[in-house]
Amino acid sequence: MTLPNGQSDLTQATLQYTMLIGATGGIGQEIARQLCANNRPVILVGRNNQTLTHLVDELAKDYPNVPLLSHTCDLSSQASQTLLVEGLGEMTQGHGNIIDTVILNAGINDFALLTDQSDDTIEQMMLVNVAYPLQLIKRLLPILMTQHSASQIISIGSTFGSIGYPGFSAYSASKFALRGASEALGREYADTSVKFRYFAPRATKTTMNKDAVVAMNEALKVKMDSPNTVAKALVNFVSTNQAQQHLGFPERFFAWLNRLFPNIVGNAIVKDLPTIKQYAKKAQ
C-alpha cells in the first residue's frame, strides 16, 4: 500500500476503507472522486502505475483530509494479485484497519459481430470481466471474513448482463456470468459477514466505447449517462441495502421484462438489427 506522499508505512488511525479495483478508467476515476467527496477512506487499485499516481496526486490535493492509499496491480498476474492481498492483510491484521467495501470495476468491452471478433478478444473479455474478478474474490474472502466486521463486494455489471444485445455477444456473456457469480456467491456466503451486491449501469460515455457505439446509440435514441452520473449513483448504492441496482429508464424496466418475457424484448431489439449491424461493421 502506498500513501500519496510515497510512504509505504501505514501510520494512520484505524479506519474503514473502500477499495476500488479498476480505479484508473473513465468511470473508475469518477468513482474515486465521488468516494473522496463523500469522505470515505479509499484504496485505489489500478494496472497503470502512471495514471494511478496522477489520480492519487490529484485527489490528495483536492481532498487532503481523506485517507488515501493506492496499489498498482495487474489482475492478469497471480503474483500481482498475491502482492495486493498481502498488502491488504498487513493493513488490516497488522494495523487494525477494516475493508468494509470492495468495488470490482475493472472490465473491457468490444462492439463487433461475433464473426468479426478475434479469438483473443473474446478470451480476454472473459478473463478480465469474469475470471480475474473471481480469482481476486477468492483471495480476498479470507481477509474479509476474519475482520469480525461486516463487509460487501460490489460487482459492476451492465444492462447487457441482463439483456443479450447484438454486437455485444461476448461482452453480454461476460456480464451475464459476472451477475450470476455475484448471485451465487451471495448465497454461498450468506452465513458470513460478507455480502455480495451487483450494480448495473446502462450505456455510459467513456473512451472505452468506440465512436461507432456512440453514433449507434444516437441513431437508436439510446440514452448514455456520464461517468459522473454513474459514479454518484454507485456511491449512493454503497450505503443502501439493495442486493442490486440497474440504472436508467427504460433499461431497468427492460431488464426486468426480459426475465419474464424475453421474446417481447427480443422482438423489439431485432427491429433495430439492420442499424446495429451497420454500425458494428463501421466499428471494424
Side-chain angles (χ1 to χ4, degrees):
M1 296 297 126
T2 304
L3 296 170
N5 61 7
Q7 295 179 355
S8 58
D9 185 31
L10 293 173
T11 58
Q12 304 178 50
T14 299
L15 295 169
Q16 292 189 334
Y17 282 90
T18 296
M19 180 168 68
L20 173 61
I21 309 293
T24 56
I27 295 178
Q29 293 193 35
E30 286 298 326
I31 295 172
R33 187 165 292 278
Q34 288 300 318
L35 290 169
C36 290
N38 282 267
N39 296 311
R40 297 184 70 97
V42 293
I43 305 168
L44 303 181
V45 180
R47 184 177 62 175
N48 188 309
N49 184 64
Q50 182 176 356
T51 305
L52 183 62
T53 300
H54 179 70
L55 173 63
V56 169
D57 288 345
E58 277 192 345
L59 294 175
K61 179 180 178 181
D62 294 341
Y63 304 96
N65 296 322
V66 175
L68 181 60
L69 300 170
S70 65
H71 188 96
T72 303
C73 179
D74 181 356
L75 294 183
S76 68
S77 165
Q78 180 178 337
S80 188
Q81 286 197 27
T82 299
L83 285 174
L84 170 62
V85 173
E86 288 176 350
L88 295 172
E90 178 186 352
M91 67 163 287
T92 54
Q93 299 165 12
H95 295 271
N97 295 294
I98 292 171
I99 301 170
D100 67 0
T101 301
V102 177
I103 300 173
L104 298 172
N105 179 60
I108 58 173
N109 74 11
D110 184 58
F111 175 50
L113 303 180
L114 186 63
T115 50
D116 293 330
Q117 283 183 321
S118 69
D119 290 350
D120 182 64
T121 296
I122 296 170
E123 181 178 5
Q124 284 300 307
M125 211 156 341
M126 296 302 172
L127 288 171
V128 174
N129 294 353
V130 187
Y132 297 156
L134 279 175
Q135 291 169 0
L136 182 60
I137 289 171
K138 180 185 72 172
R139 295 182 171 93
L140 288 174
L141 277 172
I143 293 176
L144 299 180
M145 289 191 296
T146 56
Q147 289 184 140
H148 303 295
S149 178
S151 60
Q152 59 180 336
I153 297 178
I154 300 175
S155 295
I156 306 300
S158 167
T159 296
F160 291 165
S162 297
I163 301 174
Y165 201 84
F168 291 94
S169 296
Y171 179 72
S172 290
S174 71
K175 291 301 184 178
F176 265 79
L178 183 67
R179 180 169 63 88
S182 181
E183 180 179 279
L185 287 166
R187 294 166 181 172
E188 187 171 330
Y189 291 93
D191 58 350
T192 74
S193 60
V194 183
K195 303 302 178 186
F196 288 84
R197 307 172 69 204
Y198 181 79
F199 181 84
R202 62 181 176 181
T204 307
K205 300 174 185 175
T206 69
T207 56
M208 189 167 68
N209 285 317
K210 298 176 180 178
D211 291 342
V213 174
V214 177
M216 180 187 72
N217 285 337
E218 290 176 352
L220 296 176
K221 296 181 172 55
V222 173
K223 295 179 181 178
M224 298 185 72
D225 290 325
S226 69
N228 180 262
T229 297
V230 174
K232 285 184 176 180
L234 172 61
V235 172
N236 288 334
F237 175 72
V238 167
S239 300
T240 70
N241 293 319
Q242 294 174 255
Q244 58 180 280
Q245 181 177 346
H246 294 260
L247 286 191
F249 185 88
E251 289 82 359
R252 180 170 56 250
F253 169 73
F254 282 123
W256 170 82
L257 185 65
N258 195 55
R259 292 196 299 271
L260 301 178
F261 305 105
N263 287 342
I264 294 177
V265 178
N267 290 338
I269 292 173
V270 168
K271 290 179 181 178
D272 293 330
L273 192 56
T275 301
I276 295 170
K277 287 191 172 183
Q278 172 191 346
Y279 283 99
K281 287 295 184 182
K282 289 182 179 180
Q284 302 311 302

